[in-house]
C-alpha cells in the first residue's frame, strides 16, 4: 500500500530518501513526507501531493543528516490532507514514525492517551502509535523498550520505522503483516517496504518476519522479536537489475510492462517447459509431488487480476488434468468456513506476495491442514515464504498499478501446472507436446499484437468518450472479458463490466444502444458461432462492436465495427493472446482521457490491508 524508506549510514540521507520515495511512489501516492534529525530536534516536511512536489518544497535547504525516514501514503484512516501525511510524531515532536498497515485498536489506545492528557493533530491510526511509543519512552527512558512494549500492545498490522531526535544514531524497524526489507551496505542500511528502493544501493538484503524488530546503527544491526528474543537474519541477493524498475524510454511503466510480455512469458517457461518430451519441470513443487499426485481437488485463490488468472487456470486444469478446481476470492475464502480435506491443495496466486487477504487465506488453509502452494512474483515475499511450496513467475518488478505482465506470466505458470498435473494423470505426452510447442510460439504472437498498437490506439480514440463498456467472452475467454473490463475501469475510470457472452441476454442487453461499445472476444473455437450470434444481437440494437478475433476472419469482419486481429493459436491458449489488445485498449483509452495510468486514483499496487 504505502511506501516506507529509511536510511542510516555515511551519505546525506535526503537525496537517498527522495529517490527511494520516487521508486516507491507506485505503492501509494496521495501524500509524501520525510523526517531528519536537524539541530537538536527533527525536521519534518510532509504534504498531500506527489514526491516531486515534496522535493521542490525541500529544494535549497541544507539538511546534511545521514539518517532519516520517508513515506508515500495511500490513505486508510483520514483523508489525504497535509496533517494526515506521514511521518507522524509523538507529543514532544522528537520522535517520528512512518507506518504501513492498520492499527486496529487505535481508537481504544487513543481514548486512553487522551485521558492521560495527550492531544492529537491528525485523524490517523499512525499518530496514535507515535504518541503511544512517545508516552512509553517518557516512562522508560529506553527507546527500544518503548517500541517493543507499544508493539506488543497494538492489534493490527504494521511495517514501520522509528526515528528519535534523542537517538539520531539508531533507526528501529519492525514488521507484522506489512513487509519490511533491509538493504545491507558498507556501514549503512536502507530500510524499505519493497526492494525497488534499495536495489541501486545494494543487492544484499534481509526481510523481517512478523513481530520482528531490527535495531540499525552505522556499526551494525541487531534483530529480535518484539518480546526481546534474539533472531538471526538470513541475507539474500536481489535478483533484478535497476533497468527493470526504470521506464526505459516508455512514457509509462504500464506500457513498458505490456511490451515486456513476450520476454516475461518466455522467462516464466524457461527451463520448465520440456517441449520435446512433453513434460514439465517445476523444481519448486518437487517436495509436494506425491501430494499433487493424490490430490482430489485444487482451490485457486487470489484477488483482482490474480483472481482472473485463477479463473483461466480452472478451465485449464480441469480440461488437461481432469481434476476438480474451485476458484475463490481470497477475501471470501478467509472468512467462510471452507470445507477442506488433507487431499485438497490450495494455490494462492499473487503478484506482490503481500496481499493481505491472500496471505490470510494461505494461513486459514494451512490451519485447516491443506497443502498450500504459491504462484508469486516477488521473491522472498510473505506468501512465497509462508506457503509449503510454489513456483515463482519471474516477471521482474511490476510497477504499473494495473497488473499486465504479471497476469500473462501467471497464465504461463498455470498452464505449466495444468500440464504437470495432467501428465501425472491422463494427459498423453503427444497432447502435452502439442500444447508445449505452441506455448513456445506465443511470445512471437504476443509481439505481433504489440506491433498493432497504433491501430488499437485509433480505436481507443473513437470510444474514449464512452461512459460504459461491455466485455463479453466465452469459455476460457470469459475471465479475459473480466480482466479487460477491470483494466478499463482501473485506469480510464470508465465503467466496464465483463460477462459470459451468453449471459448478455439475461440483463446487460438492456443497456445496449448506439452509445454502448461492446468488446467481444471471438476466436474461432467451438463456441465461435454462438459468439457471432451475440454480436448480431448487439448490432441489431445499434451497439458498437470491437471484436478480438483471429486474423483473416471474414465472418467477423462482416458484422463487427472493428476487428483487432490476433494470430491463431490453440483454442485453449487464446487467453494469453486475447488479453493483450485489451490491455492496450485500456491503456490508450486512459491516455486519451488524460488519466495517470501508472498511478490511477484510489488504487494501490499492493493491498496490504483488508
Ligand atoms: C491490487 C492491484 C491489482 C492486483 C491485486 C492483487 O488491487 O491494484 O492490480 O491484481 O491487488 O494483487 P496481488 O499482488 O496479490 O496479485
Amino acid at each position: 500500500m504505502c511506501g516506507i524508506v529509511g536510511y542510516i549510514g555515511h551519505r546525506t540521507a535526503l537525496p537517498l530518501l527522495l529517490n527511494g520515495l520516487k521508486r516507491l511512489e507506485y505503492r501509494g501516492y496521495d501524500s509524501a513526507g520525510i523526517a531528519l534529525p536537524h539541530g537538536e530536534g527533527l525536521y519534518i516536511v510532509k504534504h498531500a501531493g506527489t514526491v516531486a512536489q515534496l522535493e521542490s518544497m525541500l529544494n535549497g535547504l541544507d539538511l546534511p543528516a545521514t539518517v532519516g525516514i520517508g513515506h508515500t501514503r495511500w490513505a486508510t484512516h483520514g483523508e489525504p490532507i497535509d496533517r494526515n501525511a506521514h511521518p507522524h510524531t509523538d507529543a514532544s515532536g522528537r520522535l517520528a514514525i512512518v507506518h504501513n498497515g492498520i492499527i486496529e485498536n487505535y481508537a481504544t489506545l487513543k481514548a486512553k492517551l487522551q485521558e492521560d492528557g495527550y492531544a492529537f493533530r491528525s485523524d490517523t491510526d499512525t499518530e496514535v502509535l507515535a504518541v503511544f511509543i512517545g508516552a512509553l519512552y517518557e516512562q522508560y527512558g529506553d527507546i527500544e523498550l518503548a517500541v517493543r512494549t507499544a508493539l506488543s500492545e497494538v492489534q493490527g498490522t504494521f511495517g514501520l520505522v522509528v526515528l528519535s531526535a534523542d537517538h539520531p544514531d539508531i533507526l528501529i524497524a519492525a514488521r507484522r503483516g506489512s513487509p519490511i526489507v533491509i538493504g545491507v551496505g558498507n556501514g549503512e542500511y536502507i530500510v524499505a517496504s519493497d526492494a525497488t528502493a534499495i536495489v541501486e544501493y545494494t543487492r544484499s538484503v534481509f526481510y523481517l518476519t512478523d513481530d520482528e524488530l531490527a535495531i540499525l546503527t552505522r556499526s551494525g544491526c541487531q534483530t529480535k522479536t518484539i518480546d526481546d528474543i534474539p533472531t538471526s537474519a538470513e541475507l539474500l541477493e536481489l535478483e533484478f537489475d535497476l533497468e527493470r524498475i526504470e521506464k526505459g524510454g516508455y512514457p509509462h511503466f504500464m506500457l513498458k510492462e505490456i511490451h515486456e510480455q513476450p520476454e516475461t512469458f518466455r522467462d516464466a517457461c524457461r527451463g520448465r517447459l520440456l517441449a520435446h518430451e512433453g513434460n514439465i519441470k517445476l523444481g519448486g513443487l518437487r517436495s509436494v509431488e506425491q501430494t499433487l499426485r493424490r490430490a482430489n481437488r485444487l482451490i485457486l485463490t487470489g484477488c483482482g487480476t490474480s483472481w482472473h488468472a485463477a479463473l483461466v487456470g480452472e478451465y485449464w486444469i480441469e480440461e488437461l488434468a481432469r481434476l476438480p478446481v474451485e476458484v475463490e476470492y481470497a477475501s471470501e475464502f478467509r472468512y467462510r468456513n471452507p470445507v477442506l480435506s488433507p487431499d485438497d491443495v490450495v494455490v494462492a496466486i499473487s503478484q506482490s506476495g503481500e496481499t493481505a487477504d491472500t496471505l490470510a487465506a494461505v494461513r486459514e488453509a494451512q490451519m485447516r491442514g491443506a497443502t498450500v502452494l504459491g504462484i508469486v512474483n516477488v521473491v522472498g515475499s510473505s506468501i512465497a515464504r509462508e506457503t509449503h511450496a510454489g513456483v515463482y513467475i519471474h516477471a521482474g518488478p511490476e510497477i504499473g498499478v494495473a497488473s499486465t505482465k504479471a497476469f500473462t506470466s501467471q497464465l504461463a505458470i498455470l498452464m505449466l501446472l495444468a500440464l504437470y498435473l495432467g501428465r501425472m494423470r491422463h494427459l498423453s505426452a503427444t497432447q502435452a507436446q502439442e500444447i508445449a510447442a505452441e506455448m513456445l510460439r506465443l511470445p512471437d504472437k504476443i509481439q505481433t499484437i504489440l506491433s498493432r498498437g497504433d491501430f488499437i490506439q485509433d480505436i481507443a480514440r473513437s470510444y474514449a468518450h464512452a461512459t460504459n463498456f461491455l466485455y463479453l467472452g466465452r469459455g476460457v475467454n470469459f475471465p479475459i472479458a473480466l480482466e479487460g473490463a477491470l483494466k478499463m475501469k482501473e485506469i480510464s475510470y470508465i465503467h466496464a463490466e465483463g460477462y459470459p457472452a451468453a449471459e448478455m441476454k439475461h440483463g446487460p442487453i438492456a443497456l445496449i444502444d448506439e452509445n454502448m461499445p461492446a468488446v467481444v472476444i471471438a476466436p474461432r473455437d467451438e463456441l465461435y458461432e454462438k459468439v457471432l450470434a451475440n454480436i448480431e444481437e448487439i448490432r441489431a440494437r445499434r451497439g458498437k462492436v470491437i471484436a478480438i478475433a483471429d486474423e483473416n476472419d471474414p465472418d467477423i469482419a462482416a458484422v463487427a465495427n472493428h476487428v483487432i486481429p490476433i494470430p491463431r493459436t490453440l483454442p485453449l491458449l487464446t487467453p494469453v493472446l486475447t488479453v493483450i489488445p485489451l490491455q492496450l485498449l485500456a491503456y490508450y483509452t486512459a491516455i486519451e482521457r488524460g488519466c495517470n495510468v501508472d498511478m490511477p486514483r484510489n488504487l494501490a499496487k499492493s493491498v496490504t490491508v483488508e
Side-chain angles (χ1 to χ4, degrees), residues 347-351 373-377 390-391 393 410 413-414 417:
V347 185
I349 305 174
S350 173
Q351 186 284 126
L373 313 181
I375 296 180
V376 171
N377 192 27
V391 186
I393 67 171
Q410 288 166 344
I413 300 304
L414 284 161
L417 183 64

Side-chain angles (χ1 to χ4, degrees), residues 303-306 349-353 355 401-403 410 490 604-605 607:
C303 301
T305 290
S306 297
I349 305 174
S350 173
Q351 186 284 126
S352 62
T355 300
V401 168
S403 184
Q410 288 166 344
E490 279 183 311
K605 180 68 186 157
V607 181

Side-chain angles (χ1 to χ4, degrees), residues 285-590:
L285 299 186
R286 209 170 298 132
S287 63
V288 291
E289 196 182 325
Q290 290 316 318
T291 314
L292 290 171
R293 246 175 230 290
R294 56 165 197 268
N296 280 336
R297 188 173 68 137
L298 240 56
I299 296 163
L300 308 183
T301 189
C303 301
T305 290
S306 297
W307 182 76
H308 293 155
L311 291 175
V312 178
E314 178 181 22
Y315 280 89
W316 284 347
I317 295 166
E318 292 201 339
E319 178 70 29
L320 299 176
R322 309 302 303 145
L323 187 63
V325 177
E326 283 177 34
V327 177
E328 280 249 24
Y329 280 116
S331 54
E332 291 297 313
F333 180 86
R334 63 180 292 194
Y335 286 118
R336 275 198 315 110
N337 187 7
V339 179
L340 285 180
S341 80
D343 287 339
D344 284 336
V345 174
V346 174
V347 185
I349 305 174
S350 173
Q351 186 284 126
S352 62
E354 301 292 349
T355 300
D357 284 322
T358 312
L359 185 57
V362 164
R363 290 176 180 160
E364 181 66 28
Q366 275 175 339
M367 208 226 358
R368 286 164 185 266
T371 299
V372 187
L373 313 181
I375 296 180
V376 171
N377 192 27
V378 178
V379 176
S381 57
S382 302
I383 295 173
R385 282 184 292 141
E386 291 199 22
T387 40
H388 296 121
V391 186
Y392 282 119
I393 67 171
H394 291 314
E398 190 180 65
I399 308 287
V401 168
S403 184
T404 52
K405 65 175 180 173
F407 179 72
T408 42
S409 295
Q410 288 166 344
L411 292 189
I413 300 304
L414 284 161
M415 179 45 95
L416 295 182
L417 183 64
L419 292 169
Y420 177 77
L421 294 168
R423 293 291 289 125
M424 285 177 167
R425 292 172 170 78
H426 320 284
L427 192 71
S428 72
T430 323
Q431 283 170 304
Q433 277 161 345
E434 190 198 356
I435 296 171
E438 182 57 18
M439 277 183 82
L440 295 178
R441 290 181 208 113
L442 289 179
D444 288 343
K445 296 185 179 184
I446 296 174
Q447 193 60 55
T448 304
I449 302 171
L450 293 173
S451 70
R452 295 176 181 150
D454 289 350
F455 173 63
I456 297 171
Q457 184 166 19
D458 285 343
I459 298 176
R461 275 197 195 109
S462 318
Y463 294 97
H465 59 275
T467 46
N468 292 291
F469 260 86
L470 192 60
Y471 284 73
L472 303 174
R474 293 200 72 160
V476 77
N477 278 300
F478 160 54
I480 301 303
L482 295 178
E483 174 61 8
L486 179 65
K487 287 287 89 87
M488 185 59 91
K489 52 189 157 203
E490 279 183 311
I491 58 170
S492 75
Y493 318 138
I494 296 176
H495 174 250
E497 280 190 79
Y499 266 92
E503 278 293 305
M504 183 183 69
K505 295 186 283 301
H506 303 290
I509 200 165
L511 300 173
I512 292 174
D513 63 14
E514 64 277 17
N515 299 317
M516 177 66 129
V519 178
V520 185
I521 307 168
R524 272 197 183 261
D525 55 20
E526 72 278 11
L527 293 168
Y528 174 75
E529 300 294 338
K530 314 256 179 226
V531 177
L532 215 53
N534 295 136
I535 293 178
E536 297 281 10
E537 287 157 12
I538 298 169
R539 293 306 311 275
R541 287 156 186 85
R542 294 187 292 153
K544 302 287 186 301
V545 172
I546 303 162
I548 314 297
D550 288 350
E551 282 165 346
N552 306 320
D553 178 341
D555 301 331
I556 279 276
V559 288
N561 299 77
H562 312 269
V563 180
I564 304 177
I566 55 161
R568 287 187 187 227
T569 184
L570 296 174
L572 214 51
L573 292 176
T574 51
V576 179
L577 300 184
T578 53
V579 73
I580 310 289
L582 303 190
Q583 296 169 343
L584 288 169
L585 185 68
Y587 173 79
Y588 286 119
T589 306

